[in-house]
Amino acid sequence: MAATDVDIFPIEEKRTLDLGGRVGFDSLPDQLVSKSVTQGFCFNILCVGETGIGKSTLMNSLFNTTFETDEANHYQNGVYLRPRTYELQESSVQLKLTIVDTVGFGDQINKDESYKPIVDYIDSQFENYLQEELKIQRCLFDHHDTRIHICLYFIAPTGHSLKSLDLVTMKKLDSKVNIIPIIAKADTISKGELDKFKIKIMSELVSNGVQIYQFPTDDEAVAEINSSMNAYLPFAVVGSTEEVKVGNKLVRVRQYPWGVVQVENESHCDFVKLREMLLRVNMEDLREQTHVRHYELYRRCKLEEMGFKDTDPDSKPFSLQETYEAKRKEFLGDLQRKEEEMRQMFVSKVKETEAELKEKERELHDKFEQLKRLHQEEKKKMEEKRRDLEDDLNAFNRKKMAAETLQAQSLQGSSQQPLKKDKDKKNFFSLPSSCSLPSGRNLN
């Protein structure tokens, strides 16, 4: 019977399933990598150094490109920062690179405030990010992060010691940005002098309490290389975009009459070490240190200034709402107090102005009365002068009339006398015929 059952119901064959991929959460890193590559990365470099020390040339050498930059002169009235952003792509990774140059740094006679524009710029970038975080509808995913991730501080190759400007500036910046000191144009001093110069620089930084960026050694993958590279700080670099053929390949060099200095030759300078540490090994750590250390310090100080804190004096959790309400009441109280002070000040100013106007009005009235009296006196004098002139005029007219009368009489008298002479002459020429003239006389 069992055999018959087996013959009636044969056993079905087992199905085989093919997996489309690995099953589990170990693919999370791949997801993060894919998302990060799609989003792209940003990296911001601050170049601090004197004009003409080779900042732009080194940037061109680091990224193997030619950035458009305007040459700065040595006649700047002050220090200002010039940020420029570039879109770079290497393989499938997109990088938004911002290079910030300090134009005019170290060119002034008075260098006391040369570091201030740099500090203000770094703080302003922190403030922009903080304001974006504090928004109700924030969008940090698309926000262009302009916080400075690394400060390359260019040191002049003097071979002696750091300048006071260098020490003061790095001391002001070490709590705000990751600093990597580099000796620019390192081919201008000899190998022995360069080693002594490095030791001197590190000694001065330690003695003055300047904290520079140390390559992290907590990650086993990069602990060994970072430990060895920390010993090379500060890096002595040479930058150049000029290529010549050495052997069978083109290399970037600086040509001199006595030979060439190869930029990528580790026996000539530390350019390769700087590029390795800055771009290939520790770029993400620089971004992370900027966020978790320098930005968090700025954010904490800013919120403490605003009165926010995590715990109250009794070490109890602190309510953000209570802090806001307390600050709001304090602000309104200050506003009312200032408003009352301004009102009192306004009233006092009005009273002072009224008193001044009344005083000026009184002065004007007194001046008007004085001018009025002077006018009356002048008018009285003019009236007296007018009467005198009228009297003089009347006297003159009387004299004139008398003179005219005399003249008329004299003219009348003179006119009567010729008439008498004519009459006598007429009588003479009308003598009687009986009267004869003496002999020899002719009337003509």
Side-chain angles (χ1 to χ4, degrees), residues 347-361:
V347 171
S348 63
K349 287 289 184 183
V350 169
K351 290 181 179 179
E352 291 177 3
T353 305
E354 288 180 351
E356 291 177 359
L357 290 176
K358 288 181 180 179
E359 181 66 22
K360 289 182 179 180
E361 184 180 2

mmCIF file of all heavy atoms in Angstrom, residues 347-361:
data_model
loop_
_atom_site.group_PDB
_atom_site.id
_atom_site.type_symbol
_atom_site.label_atom_id
_atom_site.label_comp_id
_atom_site.label_asym_id
_atom_site.label_seq_id
_atom_site.Cartn_x
_atom_site.Cartn_y
_atom_site.Cartn_z
ATOM 1 N N VAL A 347 12.781 114.773 26.759
ATOM 2 C CA VAL A 347 12.118 115.867 27.484
ATOM 3 C C VAL A 347 13.147 116.902 27.934
ATOM 4 O O VAL A 347 12.943 118.123 27.795
ATOM 5 C CB VAL A 347 11.326 115.311 28.686
ATOM 6 C CG1 VAL A 347 10.818 116.453 29.566
ATOM 7 C CG2 VAL A 347 10.156 114.458 28.211
ATOM 8 N N SER A 348 14.266 116.412 28.483
ATOM 9 C CA SER A 348 15.302 117.347 28.924
ATOM 10 C C SER A 348 15.882 118.119 27.753
ATOM 11 O O SER A 348 16.137 119.332 27.860
ATOM 12 C CB SER A 348 16.403 116.586 29.665
ATOM 13 O OG SER A 348 17.050 115.667 28.794
ATOM 14 N N LYS A 349 16.055 117.448 26.640
ATOM 15 C CA LYS A 349 16.565 118.132 25.457
ATOM 16 C C LYS A 349 15.583 119.188 24.971
ATOM 17 O O LYS A 349 15.974 120.297 24.559
ATOM 18 C CB LYS A 349 16.832 117.115 24.339
ATOM 19 C CG LYS A 349 18.048 116.245 24.563
ATOM 20 C CD LYS A 349 19.332 117.033 24.407
ATOM 21 C CE LYS A 349 20.548 116.136 24.536
ATOM 22 N NZ LYS A 349 21.817 116.920 24.462
ATOM 23 N N VAL A 350 14.252 118.845 25.029
ATOM 24 C CA VAL A 350 13.238 119.816 24.613
ATOM 25 C C VAL A 350 13.256 121.033 25.528
ATOM 26 O O VAL A 350 13.192 122.186 25.068
ATOM 27 C CB VAL A 350 11.845 119.157 24.605
ATOM 28 C CG1 VAL A 350 10.755 120.202 24.438
ATOM 29 C CG2 VAL A 350 11.764 118.125 23.480
ATOM 30 N N LYS A 351 13.366 120.776 26.841
ATOM 31 C CA LYS A 351 13.412 121.890 27.786
ATOM 32 C C LYS A 351 14.650 122.750 27.554
ATOM 33 O O LYS A 351 14.579 123.987 27.580
ATOM 34 C CB LYS A 351 13.393 121.364 29.216
ATOM 35 C CG LYS A 351 12.056 120.749 29.623
ATOM 36 C CD LYS A 351 12.102 120.265 31.072
ATOM 37 C CE LYS A 351 10.752 119.686 31.479
ATOM 38 N NZ LYS A 351 10.761 119.187 32.879
ATOM 39 N N GLU A 352 15.774 122.084 27.354
ATOM 40 C CA GLU A 352 16.992 122.845 27.079
ATOM 41 C C GLU A 352 16.851 123.662 25.798
ATOM 42 O O GLU A 352 17.255 124.829 25.741
ATOM 43 C CB GLU A 352 18.184 121.896 26.966
ATOM 44 C CG GLU A 352 18.583 121.244 28.280
ATOM 45 C CD GLU A 352 19.723 120.255 28.091
ATOM 46 O OE1 GLU A 352 20.205 120.144 26.940
ATOM 47 O OE2 GLU A 352 20.122 119.609 29.076
ATOM 48 N N THR A 353 16.249 123.043 24.803
ATOM 49 C CA THR A 353 16.063 123.760 23.538
ATOM 50 C C THR A 353 15.123 124.940 23.715
ATOM 51 O O THR A 353 15.347 126.026 23.162
ATOM 52 C CB THR A 353 15.518 122.796 22.471
ATOM 53 O OG1 THR A 353 16.382 121.663 22.353
ATOM 54 C CG2 THR A 353 15.434 123.484 21.116
ATOM 55 N N GLU A 354 14.023 124.715 24.467
ATOM 56 C CA GLU A 354 13.094 125.820 24.725
ATOM 57 C C GLU A 354 13.781 126.958 25.475
ATOM 58 O O GLU A 354 13.585 128.138 25.151
ATOM 59 C CB GLU A 354 11.893 125.311 25.528
ATOM 60 C CG GLU A 354 10.944 124.430 24.721
ATOM 61 C CD GLU A 354 9.772 123.948 25.560
ATOM 62 O OE1 GLU A 354 9.809 124.170 26.797
ATOM 63 O OE2 GLU A 354 8.836 123.374 24.982
ATOM 64 N N ALA A 355 14.576 126.611 26.493
ATOM 65 C CA ALA A 355 15.294 127.647 27.233
ATOM 66 C C ALA A 355 16.254 128.401 26.318
ATOM 67 O O ALA A 355 16.346 129.640 26.375
ATOM 68 C CB ALA A 355 16.052 127.015 28.405
ATOM 69 N N GLU A 356 16.947 127.663 25.467
ATOM 70 C CA GLU A 356 17.862 128.316 24.535
ATOM 71 C C GLU A 356 17.114 129.217 23.572
ATOM 72 O O GLU A 356 17.552 130.337 23.269
ATOM 73 C CB GLU A 356 18.658 127.253 23.767
ATOM 74 C CG GLU A 356 19.663 126.497 24.622
ATOM 75 C CD GLU A 356 20.369 125.404 23.834
ATOM 76 O OE1 GLU A 356 20.041 125.260 22.628
ATOM 77 O OE2 GLU A 356 21.229 124.715 24.406
ATOM 78 N N LEU A 357 15.947 128.730 23.098
ATOM 79 C CA LEU A 357 15.162 129.549 22.168
ATOM 80 C C LEU A 357 14.645 130.816 22.857
ATOM 81 O O LEU A 357 14.643 131.901 22.259
ATOM 82 C CB LEU A 357 14.000 128.728 21.608
ATOM 83 C CG LEU A 357 14.376 127.610 20.630
ATOM 84 C CD1 LEU A 357 13.149 126.818 20.240
ATOM 85 C CD2 LEU A 357 15.038 128.184 19.376
ATOM 86 N N LYS A 358 14.181 130.676 24.116
ATOM 87 C CA LYS A 358 13.712 131.851 24.848
ATOM 88 C C LYS A 358 14.853 132.842 25.074
ATOM 89 O O LYS A 358 14.668 134.066 24.945
ATOM 90 C CB LYS A 358 13.114 131.429 26.186
ATOM 91 C CG LYS A 358 11.765 130.728 26.054
ATOM 92 C CD LYS A 358 11.209 130.361 27.423
ATOM 93 C CE LYS A 358 9.851 129.667 27.277
ATOM 94 N NZ LYS A 358 9.298 129.279 28.604
ATOM 95 N N GLU A 359 16.016 132.328 25.419
ATOM 96 C CA GLU A 359 17.165 133.202 25.614
ATOM 97 C C GLU A 359 17.522 133.923 24.317
ATOM 98 O O GLU A 359 17.790 135.143 24.313
ATOM 99 C CB GLU A 359 18.353 132.373 26.106
ATOM 100 C CG GLU A 359 19.615 133.173 26.381
ATOM 101 C CD GLU A 359 19.447 134.128 27.555
ATOM 102 O OE1 GLU A 359 18.555 133.898 28.397
ATOM 103 O OE2 GLU A 359 20.216 135.102 27.625
ATOM 104 N N LYS A 360 17.499 133.176 23.222
ATOM 105 C CA LYS A 360 17.795 133.793 21.929
ATOM 106 C C LYS A 360 16.712 134.805 21.550
ATOM 107 O O LYS A 360 17.011 135.858 20.969
ATOM 108 C CB LYS A 360 17.928 132.717 20.858
ATOM 109 C CG LYS A 360 19.187 131.874 20.999
ATOM 110 C CD LYS A 360 19.284 130.851 19.885
ATOM 111 C CE LYS A 360 20.581 130.033 20.039
ATOM 112 N NZ LYS A 360 20.703 129.013 18.968
ATOM 113 N N GLU A 361 15.441 134.472 21.894
ATOM 114 C CA GLU A 361 14.359 135.416 21.608
ATOM 115 C C GLU A 361 14.536 136.706 22.413
ATOM 116 O O GLU A 361 14.334 137.820 21.897
ATOM 117 C CB GLU A 361 13.009 134.762 21.946
ATOM 118 C CG GLU A 361 11.809 135.624 21.606
ATOM 119 C CD GLU A 361 10.511 134.936 21.955
ATOM 120 O OE1 GLU A 361 10.558 133.810 22.497
ATOM 121 O OE2 GLU A 361 9.448 135.529 21.691
#
